[in-house]
Amino acid sequence: MIADLIGYVAGAIIIISFVPQIIKSYKTKSVKDLSLLMLVLIISATLLWIVYGLMIGSKPVIAVNIVYSLVVGFQLYLKIKYEK
């Protein structure tokens, strides 16, 4: 139970760390300094973490990476939308 709690807290911190960038991108509509490759790699990694979490039955790994992939996916959406 403590291990799961640590997993959720660590995941929340990772997710929260990405939020300021999304807010800045949304407000300024500037994404020129964001790497498209970085965003694609992060989403790819989170999808693999979800598969791994399913394989080992780890709810924190699954939950955190589903939310994180949505957060990074939104940043990717902003990158594609504002890059044009």
Side-chain angles (χ1 to χ4, degrees), residues 12-59:
I13 292 169
I14 295 256
I15 292 165
I16 291 167
S17 74
F18 217 81
V19 171
Q21 183 62 57
I22 291 173
I23 292 169
K24 182 178 180 182
S25 296
Y26 185 76
K27 284 183 177 180
T28 65
K29 299 185 180 11
S30 174
V31 292
K32 65 179 181 167
D33 292 333
L34 287 175
S35 167
L36 179 62
L37 179 59
M38 176 200 68
L39 296 172
V40 170
L41 289 173
I42 291 172
I43 289 176
S44 299
T46 59
L47 294 176
L48 290 172
W49 275 111
I50 293 167
V51 171
Y52 173 72
L54 290 168
M55 292 173 75
I56 66 168
S58 175
K59 291 178 184 176

